[in-house]
């Protein structure tokens, strides 16, 4: 497996795991880390033995934000030319499900990274926030859009305009995260969930992820049409034949991803 400087990677069963690994800087996100992250996710996405992925940090910090050292003297043109923000867009190209396993601080770019994932599992110690206002800027990697879609306008306004943070319980109550577990167990449960998803029909899982994500960008009419086309197309797959025959035969299906 390829070695990186800012992340750690491993495979457990059918789950590819990426651990953000800049503990001295609270996993602050710079372009080097994001580039390595996207490289590892792309590699997992191409590996047929992997069905789902997990992104995590450590128990104290998922990621405390972007690395300000890289931005302090930047001009608008510098930021427009920087590959930092576009690196976040690459995660949308990943076809397989990605779960964020969050513990401790999940702030700024770290919160934006977690929200870019398909599901978020949290430890009891997690703290979510978008504190960019304290730096004289606003979120630039999707925070104003994804946070508002998740928690609603008034909570997003308070978090982004006035640096309100959300505890794990609050984040769950506002539909920002899926589950909360004790700190010592959150990663184990996240990997278990990823493994469950990875064992399901690969083409159907990827199609469902794509159509759900598209629903935020299109009208209901267009979304329904996209859903139907994807639904119809899956009937050309061997997995569809296997799944339905296994159901009729009262046996477990054997998915091939074809």
């Amino acid at each position: 497996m390829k070695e990186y400087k800012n992340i750690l990677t491993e495979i457990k069963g059918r789950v590819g795991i990426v651990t953000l690994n800049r503990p001295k800087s609270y996993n602050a996100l710079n372009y080097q880390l994001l580039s390595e992250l996207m490289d590892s996710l792309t590699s997992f996405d191409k590996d047929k033995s992997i069905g789902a992925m997990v992104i995590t940090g450590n128990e104290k910090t998922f990621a405390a934000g972007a690395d300000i050292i890289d931005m302090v003297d930047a001009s608008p043109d510098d930021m427009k030319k920087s590959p930092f923000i576009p690196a976040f867009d690459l995660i949308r190209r990943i076809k397989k499900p990605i779960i964020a396993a969050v513990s401790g601080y999940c702030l700024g770019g770290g919160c934006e990274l977690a929200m870019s994932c398909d599901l978020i599992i949290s430890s009891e110690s997690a703290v979510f926030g978008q504190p960019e206002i304290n730096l004289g800027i606003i979120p630039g990697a999707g925070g104003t859009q994804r946070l508002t879609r998740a928690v609603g306008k008034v909570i997003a306004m308070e978090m982004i305009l006035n640096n309100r943070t959300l505890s794990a319980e609050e984040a769950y109550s506002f539909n920002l995260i899926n589950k909360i577990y004790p700190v010592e167990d959150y990663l184990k449960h996240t990997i278990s969930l990823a493994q469950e998803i990875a064992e399901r029909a690969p083409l159907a899982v990827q199609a469902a992820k794509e159509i759900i994500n598209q629903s935020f960008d299109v009208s209901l009419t267009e979304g329904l049409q996209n859903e139907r086309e994807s639904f119809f197309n899956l009937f050309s797959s061997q997995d569809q034949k296997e799944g339905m025959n296994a159901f009729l035969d009262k046996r477990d299906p054997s998915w091939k991803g074809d």
Side-chain angles (χ1 to χ4, degrees), residues 122-176:
S122 164
S123 83
E124 293 172 334
S125 72
V127 177
F128 298 87
Q130 298 288 164
E132 288 88 348
I133 200 74
N134 294 337
L135 304 174
I137 58 173
I138 66 170
T144 63
Q145 303 304 299
R146 291 192 176 96
L147 186 64
T148 304
R149 283 166 168 78
V151 305
K153 175 184 173 181
V154 295
I155 301 301
M157 284 286 190
E158 191 174 359
M159 292 177 69
I160 294 171
L161 271 59
N162 202 38
N163 191 29
R164 174 179 175 176
T165 58
L166 300 182
S167 67
E169 289 290 345
E170 289 174 317
Y172 180 76
S173 70
F174 293 134
N175 298 316
L176 183 61

Short mmCIF file of all heavy atoms in Angstrom, two decimals, residues 122-176:
data_model
loop_
_atom_site.label_atom_id
_atom_site.label_comp_id
_atom_site.label_asym_id
_atom_site.label_seq_id
_atom_site.Cartn_x
_atom_site.Cartn_y
_atom_site.Cartn_z
N SER A 122 -20.32 10.06 14.93
CA SER A 122 -19.64 10.95 15.86
C SER A 122 -19.39 10.27 17.20
O SER A 122 -20.16 9.41 17.64
CB SER A 122 -20.51 12.20 16.07
OG SER A 122 -20.13 12.92 17.20
N SER A 123 -18.32 10.70 17.85
CA SER A 123 -18.14 10.34 19.25
C SER A 123 -18.86 11.37 20.12
O SER A 123 -19.25 12.44 19.66
CB SER A 123 -16.66 10.29 19.62
OG SER A 123 -16.17 11.59 19.93
N GLU A 124 -19.01 11.05 21.39
CA GLU A 124 -19.69 11.96 22.32
C GLU A 124 -18.94 13.27 22.52
O GLU A 124 -19.52 14.27 22.94
CB GLU A 124 -19.88 11.25 23.66
CG GLU A 124 -20.84 10.08 23.61
CD GLU A 124 -20.86 9.27 24.90
OE1 GLU A 124 -19.84 9.28 25.63
OE2 GLU A 124 -21.88 8.61 25.16
N SER A 125 -17.64 13.27 22.18
CA SER A 125 -16.83 14.47 22.42
C SER A 125 -16.78 15.42 21.24
O SER A 125 -16.16 16.48 21.31
CB SER A 125 -15.39 14.06 22.77
OG SER A 125 -14.72 13.57 21.62
N ALA A 126 -17.43 15.07 20.15
CA ALA A 126 -17.32 15.87 18.92
C ALA A 126 -17.90 17.27 19.10
O ALA A 126 -18.91 17.47 19.77
CB ALA A 126 -18.00 15.16 17.76
N VAL A 127 -17.25 18.23 18.46
CA VAL A 127 -17.70 19.61 18.43
C VAL A 127 -17.65 20.10 16.98
O VAL A 127 -16.59 20.05 16.35
CB VAL A 127 -16.82 20.54 19.30
CG1 VAL A 127 -17.29 21.98 19.19
CG2 VAL A 127 -16.81 20.07 20.74
N PHE A 128 -18.78 20.54 16.45
CA PHE A 128 -18.87 20.96 15.06
C PHE A 128 -19.02 22.48 14.98
O PHE A 128 -19.79 23.08 15.73
CB PHE A 128 -20.08 20.30 14.38
CG PHE A 128 -20.01 18.81 14.34
CD1 PHE A 128 -20.48 18.05 15.42
CD2 PHE A 128 -19.47 18.15 13.25
CE1 PHE A 128 -20.42 16.66 15.39
CE2 PHE A 128 -19.41 16.76 13.22
CZ PHE A 128 -19.89 16.01 14.29
N GLY A 129 -18.30 23.09 14.05
CA GLY A 129 -18.41 24.53 13.91
C GLY A 129 -17.79 25.06 12.64
O GLY A 129 -17.00 24.38 11.99
N GLN A 130 -18.16 26.29 12.30
CA GLN A 130 -17.59 27.02 11.15
C GLN A 130 -17.13 28.38 11.67
O GLN A 130 -17.82 29.38 11.54
CB GLN A 130 -18.64 27.18 10.05
CG GLN A 130 -19.16 25.90 9.45
CD GLN A 130 -18.17 25.19 8.55
OE1 GLN A 130 -18.34 24.03 8.22
NE2 GLN A 130 -17.10 25.87 8.15
N PRO A 131 -15.93 28.45 12.27
CA PRO A 131 -15.48 29.67 12.93
C PRO A 131 -14.75 30.66 12.03
O PRO A 131 -14.06 31.56 12.51
CB PRO A 131 -14.52 29.12 13.99
CG PRO A 131 -13.91 27.91 13.33
CD PRO A 131 -15.01 27.31 12.50
N GLU A 132 -14.92 30.54 10.71
CA GLU A 132 -14.18 31.41 9.78
C GLU A 132 -14.43 32.89 10.03
O GLU A 132 -13.56 33.72 9.74
CB GLU A 132 -14.54 31.05 8.33
CG GLU A 132 -13.98 29.74 7.83
CD GLU A 132 -14.87 28.55 8.13
OE1 GLU A 132 -15.83 28.69 8.93
OE2 GLU A 132 -14.60 27.47 7.58
N ILE A 133 -15.60 33.25 10.57
CA ILE A 133 -15.92 34.65 10.83
C ILE A 133 -14.88 35.29 11.75
O ILE A 133 -14.61 36.49 11.68
CB ILE A 133 -17.35 34.79 11.42
CG1 ILE A 133 -17.88 36.22 11.23
CG2 ILE A 133 -17.41 34.36 12.86
CD1 ILE A 133 -18.28 36.53 9.82
N ASN A 134 -14.28 34.49 12.63
CA ASN A 134 -13.25 34.98 13.54
C ASN A 134 -11.97 35.37 12.82
O ASN A 134 -11.11 36.06 13.38
CB ASN A 134 -12.92 33.93 14.60
CG ASN A 134 -14.07 33.66 15.54
OD1 ASN A 134 -14.96 34.50 15.69
ND2 ASN A 134 -14.08 32.49 16.17
N LEU A 135 -11.83 34.91 11.56
CA LEU A 135 -10.64 35.21 10.77
C LEU A 135 -10.91 36.27 9.70
O LEU A 135 -10.06 36.56 8.87
CB LEU A 135 -10.14 33.92 10.09
CG LEU A 135 -9.83 32.75 11.02
CD1 LEU A 135 -9.50 31.51 10.20
CD2 LEU A 135 -8.69 33.10 11.96
N GLY A 136 -12.12 36.81 9.71
CA GLY A 136 -12.48 37.83 8.74
C GLY A 136 -12.87 37.27 7.38
O GLY A 136 -12.85 37.99 6.38
N ILE A 137 -13.23 35.98 7.34
CA ILE A 137 -13.65 35.35 6.09
C ILE A 137 -14.91 34.53 6.35
O ILE A 137 -15.47 34.55 7.46
CB ILE A 137 -12.55 34.46 5.49
CG1 ILE A 137 -12.13 33.36 6.49
CG2 ILE A 137 -11.35 35.30 5.06
CD1 ILE A 137 -11.18 32.34 5.90
N ILE A 138 -15.38 33.83 5.32
CA ILE A 138 -16.50 32.91 5.46
C ILE A 138 -16.06 31.53 5.01
O ILE A 138 -14.99 31.38 4.41
CB ILE A 138 -17.72 33.37 4.62
CG1 ILE A 138 -17.40 33.29 3.11
CG2 ILE A 138 -18.15 34.78 5.01
CD1 ILE A 138 -18.60 33.49 2.21
N PRO A 139 -16.83 30.49 5.27
CA PRO A 139 -16.49 29.17 4.74
C PRO A 139 -16.41 29.23 3.21
O PRO A 139 -17.23 29.87 2.57
CB PRO A 139 -17.65 28.29 5.20
CG PRO A 139 -18.20 28.99 6.40
CD PRO A 139 -18.04 30.46 6.12
N GLY A 140 -15.40 28.56 2.65
CA GLY A 140 -15.21 28.61 1.21
C GLY A 140 -15.21 27.26 0.52
O GLY A 140 -15.04 27.18 -0.69
N ALA A 141 -15.39 26.18 1.30
CA ALA A 141 -15.34 24.83 0.72
C ALA A 141 -16.67 24.12 0.92
O ALA A 141 -16.72 22.90 1.14
CB ALA A 141 -14.20 24.03 1.33
N GLY A 142 -17.76 24.89 0.88
CA GLY A 142 -19.09 24.28 0.94
C GLY A 142 -19.83 24.48 2.23
O GLY A 142 -20.99 24.07 2.36
N GLY A 143 -19.22 25.13 3.21
CA GLY A 143 -19.84 25.26 4.52
C GLY A 143 -21.17 25.99 4.51
O GLY A 143 -22.13 25.58 5.17
N THR A 144 -21.26 27.11 3.79
CA THR A 144 -22.51 27.86 3.79
C THR A 144 -23.65 27.08 3.12
O THR A 144 -24.81 27.27 3.46
CB THR A 144 -22.36 29.21 3.06
OG1 THR A 144 -22.04 28.97 1.68
CG2 THR A 144 -21.27 30.07 3.69
N GLN A 145 -23.30 26.21 2.20
CA GLN A 145 -24.32 25.47 1.45
C GLN A 145 -24.70 24.15 2.12
O GLN A 145 -25.88 23.88 2.36
CB GLN A 145 -23.81 25.21 0.02
CG GLN A 145 -23.43 26.47 -0.74
CD GLN A 145 -24.57 27.48 -0.80
OE1 GLN A 145 -25.63 27.18 -1.35
NE2 GLN A 145 -24.36 28.66 -0.24
N ARG A 146 -23.71 23.34 2.43
CA ARG A 146 -24.02 22.01 3.01
C ARG A 146 -24.57 22.14 4.43
O ARG A 146 -25.48 21.41 4.81
CB ARG A 146 -22.77 21.13 2.99
CG ARG A 146 -22.36 20.71 1.58
CD ARG A 146 -21.30 19.60 1.62
NE ARG A 146 -20.99 19.15 0.27
CZ ARG A 146 -19.97 19.60 -0.47
NH1 ARG A 146 -19.16 20.52 0.04
NH2 ARG A 146 -19.77 19.15 -1.68
N LEU A 147 -24.01 23.05 5.21
CA LEU A 147 -24.49 23.22 6.58
C LEU A 147 -25.95 23.68 6.58
O LEU A 147 -26.78 23.17 7.34
CB LEU A 147 -23.62 24.22 7.34
CG LEU A 147 -23.94 24.38 8.83
CD1 LEU A 147 -23.70 23.08 9.58
CD2 LEU A 147 -23.11 25.51 9.43
N THR A 148 -26.28 24.64 5.72
CA THR A 148 -27.65 25.14 5.66
C THR A 148 -28.62 24.05 5.23
O THR A 148 -29.73 23.93 5.78
CB THR A 148 -27.74 26.33 4.68
OG1 THR A 148 -26.80 27.34 5.08
CG2 THR A 148 -29.13 26.92 4.66
N ARG A 149 -28.23 23.22 4.27
CA ARG A 149 -29.08 22.11 3.83
C ARG A 149 -29.28 21.09 4.94
O ARG A 149 -30.33 20.46 5.03
CB ARG A 149 -28.47 21.44 2.61
CG ARG A 149 -28.68 22.23 1.31
CD ARG A 149 -27.77 21.69 0.19
NE ARG A 149 -28.13 22.22 -1.11
CZ ARG A 149 -27.82 23.43 -1.56
NH1 ARG A 149 -27.14 24.26 -0.77
NH2 ARG A 149 -28.18 23.82 -2.77
N ALA A 150 -28.28 20.94 5.79
CA ALA A 150 -28.37 19.93 6.86
C ALA A 150 -29.15 20.42 8.07
O ALA A 150 -30.06 19.75 8.55
CB ALA A 150 -26.96 19.51 7.29
N VAL A 151 -28.82 21.61 8.57
CA VAL A 151 -29.38 22.05 9.86
C VAL A 151 -30.44 23.13 9.72
O VAL A 151 -31.09 23.48 10.70
CB VAL A 151 -28.26 22.54 10.80
CG1 VAL A 151 -27.20 21.47 10.99
CG2 VAL A 151 -27.63 23.84 10.30
N GLY A 152 -30.60 23.68 8.52
CA GLY A 152 -31.57 24.75 8.32
C GLY A 152 -30.94 26.13 8.42
O GLY A 152 -29.84 26.30 8.95
N LYS A 153 -31.68 27.12 7.94
CA LYS A 153 -31.14 28.48 7.81
C LYS A 153 -30.77 29.11 9.15
O LYS A 153 -29.67 29.67 9.29
CB LYS A 153 -32.16 29.36 7.09
CG LYS A 153 -31.75 30.83 7.02
CD LYS A 153 -32.85 31.69 6.39
CE LYS A 153 -32.50 33.17 6.46
NZ LYS A 153 -33.56 34.02 5.89
N VAL A 154 -31.65 29.05 10.14
CA VAL A 154 -31.40 29.85 11.34
C VAL A 154 -30.20 29.32 12.14
O VAL A 154 -29.42 30.10 12.68
CB VAL A 154 -32.67 29.92 12.23
CG1 VAL A 154 -33.77 30.68 11.51
CG2 VAL A 154 -33.15 28.54 12.66
N ILE A 155 -30.05 28.01 12.21
CA ILE A 155 -28.90 27.45 12.92
C ILE A 155 -27.62 27.71 12.14
O ILE A 155 -26.59 28.08 12.71
CB ILE A 155 -29.09 25.94 13.17
CG1 ILE A 155 -30.34 25.69 14.00
CG2 ILE A 155 -27.86 25.36 13.88
CD1 ILE A 155 -30.34 26.36 15.36
N ALA A 156 -27.68 27.55 10.81
CA ALA A 156 -26.50 27.83 9.98
C ALA A 156 -26.08 29.29 10.11
O ALA A 156 -24.89 29.60 10.20
CB ALA A 156 -26.79 27.48 8.52
N MET A 157 -27.06 30.19 10.12
CA MET A 157 -26.75 31.61 10.29
C MET A 157 -26.02 31.85 11.61
O MET A 157 -25.02 32.57 11.67
CB MET A 157 -28.04 32.44 10.25
CG MET A 157 -28.62 32.64 8.87
SD MET A 157 -27.65 33.83 7.92
CE MET A 157 -28.76 34.06 6.51
N GLU A 158 -26.53 31.26 12.67
CA GLU A 158 -25.91 31.47 13.98
C GLU A 158 -24.49 30.90 14.03
O GLU A 158 -23.59 31.51 14.61
CB GLU A 158 -26.78 30.84 15.07
CG GLU A 158 -26.38 31.24 16.47
CD GLU A 158 -27.33 30.73 17.53
OE1 GLU A 158 -28.33 30.07 17.19
OE2 GLU A 158 -27.06 31.00 18.71
N MET A 159 -24.30 29.72 13.42
CA MET A 159 -22.99 29.10 13.44
C MET A 159 -21.98 29.88 12.60
O MET A 159 -20.83 30.08 13.03
CB MET A 159 -23.08 27.66 12.92
CG MET A 159 -23.85 26.73 13.83
SD MET A 159 -24.02 25.06 13.14
CE MET A 159 -22.31 24.48 13.22
N ILE A 160 -22.40 30.36 11.45
CA ILE A 160 -21.47 31.01 10.53
C ILE A 160 -21.29 32.49 10.86
O ILE A 160 -20.18 33.03 10.78
CB ILE A 160 -21.93 30.81 9.08
CG1 ILE A 160 -21.83 29.31 8.72
CG2 ILE A 160 -21.10 31.64 8.11
CD1 ILE A 160 -22.45 28.95 7.39
N LEU A 161 -22.36 33.17 11.29
CA LEU A 161 -22.27 34.59 11.62
C LEU A 161 -21.71 34.84 13.01
O LEU A 161 -21.07 35.87 13.25
CB LEU A 161 -23.65 35.26 11.52
CG LEU A 161 -24.07 35.83 10.17
CD1 LEU A 161 -24.08 34.75 9.10
CD2 LEU A 161 -25.43 36.49 10.28
N ASN A 162 -21.94 33.88 13.95
CA ASN A 162 -21.59 34.17 15.34
C ASN A 162 -20.83 33.04 16.02
O ASN A 162 -20.79 32.97 17.24
CB ASN A 162 -22.86 34.49 16.14
CG ASN A 162 -22.58 35.30 17.39
OD1 ASN A 162 -21.73 36.18 17.39
ND2 ASN A 162 -23.29 35.00 18.46
N ASN A 163 -20.24 32.15 15.22
CA ASN A 163 -19.34 31.11 15.74
C ASN A 163 -20.00 30.20 16.77
O ASN A 163 -19.37 29.77 17.74
CB ASN A 163 -18.07 31.74 16.34
CG ASN A 163 -17.01 30.70 16.64
OD1 ASN A 163 -16.93 29.66 15.97
ND2 ASN A 163 -16.18 30.95 17.65
N ARG A 164 -21.30 29.92 16.59
CA ARG A 164 -21.91 28.92 17.45
C ARG A 164 -21.37 27.54 17.09
O ARG A 164 -21.21 27.22 15.90
CB ARG A 164 -23.43 28.92 17.30
CG ARG A 164 -24.09 27.78 18.08
CD ARG A 164 -25.59 27.77 17.98
NE ARG A 164 -26.15 26.60 18.64
CZ ARG A 164 -27.45 26.37 18.76
NH1 ARG A 164 -28.34 27.23 18.28
NH2 ARG A 164 -27.89 25.28 19.38
N THR A 165 -21.04 26.75 18.07
CA THR A 165 -20.64 25.37 17.83
C THR A 165 -21.74 24.43 18.29
O THR A 165 -22.58 24.78 19.13
CB THR A 165 -19.33 25.03 18.57
OG1 THR A 165 -19.51 25.25 19.97
CG2 THR A 165 -18.18 25.86 18.05
N LEU A 166 -21.73 23.24 17.72
CA LEU A 166 -22.71 22.22 18.07
C LEU A 166 -22.03 21.04 18.76
O LEU A 166 -21.02 20.54 18.28
CB LEU A 166 -23.44 21.71 16.83
CG LEU A 166 -24.24 22.70 15.99
CD1 LEU A 166 -24.92 21.97 14.84
CD2 LEU A 166 -25.26 23.45 16.83
N SER A 167 -22.58 20.64 19.89
CA SER A 167 -22.14 19.40 20.51
C SER A 167 -22.61 18.23 19.67
O SER A 167 -23.43 18.39 18.74
CB SER A 167 -22.71 19.29 21.92
OG SER A 167 -24.13 19.15 21.85
N ALA A 168 -22.15 17.05 19.99
CA ALA A 168 -22.60 15.86 19.26
C ALA A 168 -24.12 15.71 19.37
O ALA A 168 -24.80 15.42 18.38
CB ALA A 168 -21.89 14.63 19.78
N GLU A 169 -24.65 15.91 20.56
CA GLU A 169 -26.10 15.76 20.75
C GLU A 169 -26.87 16.80 19.93
O GLU A 169 -27.91 16.48 19.34
CB GLU A 169 -26.44 15.91 22.25
CG GLU A 169 -25.99 14.73 23.11
CD GLU A 169 -26.79 13.47 22.85
OE1 GLU A 169 -27.87 13.55 22.22
OE2 GLU A 169 -26.34 12.39 23.27
N GLU A 170 -26.37 18.03 19.91
CA GLU A 170 -27.04 19.05 19.11
C GLU A 170 -26.95 18.73 17.62
O GLU A 170 -27.93 18.87 16.88
CB GLU A 170 -26.41 20.42 19.39
CG GLU A 170 -26.73 20.99 20.76
CD GLU A 170 -25.97 22.26 21.03
OE1 GLU A 170 -24.76 22.33 20.72
OE2 GLU A 170 -26.59 23.21 21.55
N ALA A 171 -25.78 18.29 17.19
CA ALA A 171 -25.60 17.95 15.78
C ALA A 171 -26.55 16.83 15.37
O ALA A 171 -27.10 16.84 14.26
CB ALA A 171 -24.15 17.54 15.52
N TYR A 172 -26.75 15.88 16.27
CA TYR A 172 -27.69 14.78 15.98
C TYR A 172 -29.12 15.30 15.91
O TYR A 172 -29.89 14.94 15.01
CB TYR A 172 -27.57 13.70 17.05
CG TYR A 172 -28.50 12.53 16.83
CD1 TYR A 172 -28.22 11.57 15.85
CD2 TYR A 172 -29.65 12.38 17.59
CE1 TYR A 172 -29.07 10.49 15.64
CE2 TYR A 172 -30.51 11.32 17.39
CZ TYR A 172 -30.21 10.37 16.41
OH TYR A 172 -31.06 9.32 16.20
N SER A 173 -29.47 16.18 16.83
CA SER A 173 -30.84 16.70 16.86
C SER A 173 -31.15 17.56 15.64
O SER A 173 -32.30 17.65 15.22
CB SER A 173 -31.09 17.50 18.14
OG SER A 173 -30.37 18.73 18.13
N PHE A 174 -30.10 18.16 15.04
CA PHE A 174 -30.29 19.00 13.85
C PHE A 174 -30.02 18.24 12.55
O PHE A 174 -29.91 18.85 11.48
CB PHE A 174 -29.38 20.23 13.93
CG PHE A 174 -29.74 21.19 15.02
CD1 PHE A 174 -28.76 21.72 15.85
CD2 PHE A 174 -31.06 21.58 15.22
CE1 PHE A 174 -29.08 22.62 16.86
CE2 PHE A 174 -31.39 22.48 16.23
CZ PHE A 174 -30.40 23.00 17.05
N ASN A 175 -29.91 16.92 12.65
CA ASN A 175 -29.74 16.06 11.46
C ASN A 175 -28.42 16.27 10.73
O ASN A 175 -28.33 16.03 9.52
CB ASN A 175 -30.90 16.26 10.47
CG ASN A 175 -32.23 15.86 11.07
OD1 ASN A 175 -32.35 14.83 11.72
ND2 ASN A 175 -33.25 16.69 10.86
N LEU A 176 -27.40 16.71 11.44
CA LEU A 176 -26.09 16.86 10.82
C LEU A 176 -25.32 15.53 10.81
O LEU A 176 -24.49 15.31 9.93
CB LEU A 176 -25.27 17.92 11.57
CG LEU A 176 -23.89 18.25 11.00
CD1 LEU A 176 -23.99 18.79 9.57
CD2 LEU A 176 -23.17 19.25 11.90
#
